[in-house]
Amino acid sequence: VWNMYAFIAFSKEDFPSAIKAYEKIVKQSNIPWAMQDSTQYSLAQLYMVTDNPKKALVYIDKWLTSVPNPSPKGYVFKAQVHYQLTDLKNAFTSVKKGVDLADKKNVKVKEGWLQLLSYLYYEKKDINNAMLVLERLVAISPKKSFITQLSGMYMNNDRPKDQLSLYRALYEKKLLKKEKELLTIANLYIASGVPVKAGVILERGIRDKVIEGTSKNHELLGNAWYRAQELDKSIVWLEKAAKNAKDGKIFLRLASTYLDLERFDDAVRAAKKALKLGDLPKDETAHIILGNAYFGKKQYENALKEFSSVIKIDEDNKFAKQWIRYVTIEKKKQEAFIAFIND
């Protein structure tokens, strides 16, 4: 009768009345063991639902010690109770036992079990096992949230190739829809030496207005095309990025790209702008670009002036010294040729 009362109360979601009815059952003597076990488990669940994890722990412990072969689910439930009580040590012991028992019995391991186990490994600072559990979770349930979580762990443990493989899968399934996500996969492609893929993703993202057309994003795209040796494409985006530049860094990259394309006048203009705006990692880099550009224009005096500026900044700069020797030789050849023509 009390079991029927409990069932009716539970069906009506009157959990306090269901608890009272089940408590009446367990206080009786000589009740069938099957009813006793099911009642103890039900009480453990109800006390958790009514936010009383201490009482839930009492009954789940009784259940685990009374049934002949406790199920993995019971140990995981106990882990959840310990977790609710912020007892992470015992929570880990119980969920690990539950998962191991499920594997032993060839019982399906649920997502929530692996989520909890991975989190508790992480709290124990056992990152390798946390990642292994997450990898298993992703294998059985490749949800975006799980993949993103595993990707973050790969990033924190310097595994960019593994991180990229996860992001590539998400991108191919069209699950990367936010600017931050697209910028992440683009940077991963650049770091992995596949800048052309980064360029395609960034260009498409900006075109579709998923990625904001900021100076920083234009520069990233320009750099991606530069690394891919698509210099004409690189120039387009670097020029856009330079419009709102507050320092000379972007103009320095522009100058270098112009120089590679043998657009010497543009290289001179951009390098001078870089020096004017300043805040460069090394001013001598701008002077070296200027020297090369002037050399390309056959303006040897100006080229020597720029390489000499490098020596003033760094007197041991071997690169500048080699250029000074080379430009001096070419200058003398030019002078000799002019003299020969005039004679």
Side-chain angles (χ1 to χ4, degrees):
V1 172
W2 283 117
N3 195 50
M4 183 61 71
Y5 272 127
F7 176 77
I8 293 169
F10 185 85
S11 300
K12 294 166 64 177
E13 296 188 6
D14 183 359
F15 301 134
S17 295
I19 288 172
K20 287 180 182 178
Y22 279 133
E23 291 279 12
K24 291 281 187 180
I25 296 172
V26 294
K27 286 179 181 177
Q28 294 186 35
S29 59
N30 300 323
I31 61 172
W33 65 265
M35 179 176 283
Q36 176 182 296
D37 290 342
S38 64
T39 301
Q40 287 173 342
Y41 199 89
S42 295
L43 278 167
Q45 290 179 310
L46 284 165
Y47 275 122
M48 275 293 281
V49 170
T50 54
D51 200 25
N52 191 341
K54 289 184 178 180
K55 288 286 285 185
L57 184 60
V58 170
Y59 279 105
I60 193 61
D61 276 337
K62 286 182 178 180
W63 182 83
L64 285 169
T65 54
S66 64
V67 296
N69 294 300
S71 66
K73 182 175 69 173
Y75 287 107
V76 176
F77 180 80
K78 184 181 179 182
Q80 292 167 337
V81 176
H82 281 302
Y83 179 78
Q84 192 73 17
L85 292 166
T86 64
D87 181 359
L88 300 188
K89 182 179 179 181
N90 283 314
F92 171 78
T93 301
S94 295
V95 72
K96 179 74 165 58
K97 190 169 184 178
V99 172
D100 288 345
L101 185 59
D103 289 338
K104 185 178 179 181
K105 292 185 174 184
N106 201 25
V107 174
K108 182 180 179 181
V109 176
K110 296 184 178 181
E111 292 177 15
W113 303 3
L114 294 175
Q115 278 184 279
L116 181 59
L117 181 57
S118 176
Y119 170 77
L120 292 171
Y121 266 127
Y122 186 81
E123 287 296 307
K124 283 163 59 70
K125 302 194 185 309
D126 188 346
I127 306 302
N128 287 333
N129 274 315
M131 283 193 290
L132 286 173
V133 175
L134 260 179
E135 286 170 345
R136 180 178 177 181
L137 181 57
V138 167
I140 65 172
S141 180
K143 292 181 180 178
K144 182 180 177 181
S145 58
F146 300 154
I147 293 175
T148 303
Q149 189 178 351
L150 180 57
S151 171
M153 296 190 79
Y154 283 153
M155 179 184 70
N156 292 333
N157 287 273
D158 196 25
R159 293 173 59 178
K161 290 185 178 179
D162 292 324
Q163 187 185 9
L164 176 58
S165 67
L166 292 176
Y167 263 86
R168 185 171 61 238
L170 289 173
Y171 184 76
E172 289 172 356
K173 290 186 176 183
K174 299 181 179 180
L175 293 174
L176 299 182
K177 299 179 180 179
K178 297 179 180 179
E179 179 185 55
K180 184 178 179 181
E181 295 169 340
L182 294 175
L183 291 175
T184 296
I185 189 173
N187 278 300
L188 284 170
Y189 269 124
I190 291 171
S192 299
V194 195
V196 67
K197 292 286 288 184
V200 171
I201 290 169
L202 290 168
E203 205 163 79
R204 185 177 297 158
I206 291 173
R207 183 195 64 204
D208 294 342
K209 297 184 179 179
V210 179
I211 297 176
E212 190 177 355
T214 62
S215 177
K216 184 178 180 181
N217 291 338
H218 287 156
E219 182 177 0
L220 179 63
L221 178 51
N223 289 339
W225 286 131
Y226 181 84
R227 287 169 180 254
Q229 290 301 299
E230 295 278 0
L231 301 185
D232 290 319
K233 287 184 179 181
S234 176
I235 286 292
V236 171
W237 295 102
L238 290 175
E239 285 177 342
K240 288 184 178 183
K243 288 179 180 179
N244 299 311
K246 295 180 179 179
D247 58 48
K249 296 185 184 73
I250 184 66
F251 282 99
L252 191 64
R253 172 50 61 86
L254 259 176
S256 177
T257 309
Y258 284 137
L259 186 64
D260 289 340
L261 289 168
E262 297 186 356
R263 290 171 57 176
F264 301 124
D265 289 333
D266 289 327
V268 169
R269 174 181 54 79
K272 285 184 175 180
K273 185 73 173 180
L275 287 168
K276 182 180 179 181
L277 290 176
D279 197 22
L280 302 175
K282 291 183 177 180
D283 284 358
E284 51 263 49
T285 304
H287 288 294
I288 287 173
I289 291 172
L290 276 169
N292 276 273
Y294 281 129
F295 179 80
K297 287 161 59 72
K298 300 189 184 319
Q299 295 180 10
Y300 300 128
E301 283 291 344
N302 287 332
L304 287 170
K305 180 182 176 183
E306 296 301 330
F307 290 125
S308 297
S309 295
V310 176
I311 299 299
K312 289 178 182 177
I313 299 170
D314 177 14
E315 60 183 16
D316 296 321
N317 193 298
K318 294 180 181 179
F319 186 72
K321 289 179 178 179
Q322 289 173 348
W323 265 106
I324 287 173
R325 286 195 292 270
Y326 181 63
V327 174
T328 301
I329 292 171
E330 292 300 311
K331 181 174 177 289
K332 287 180 179 178
K333 287 181 181 178
Q334 184 189 55
E335 290 171 348
F337 179 74
I338 293 171
F340 174 76
I341 292 297
N342 290 335
D343 288 345

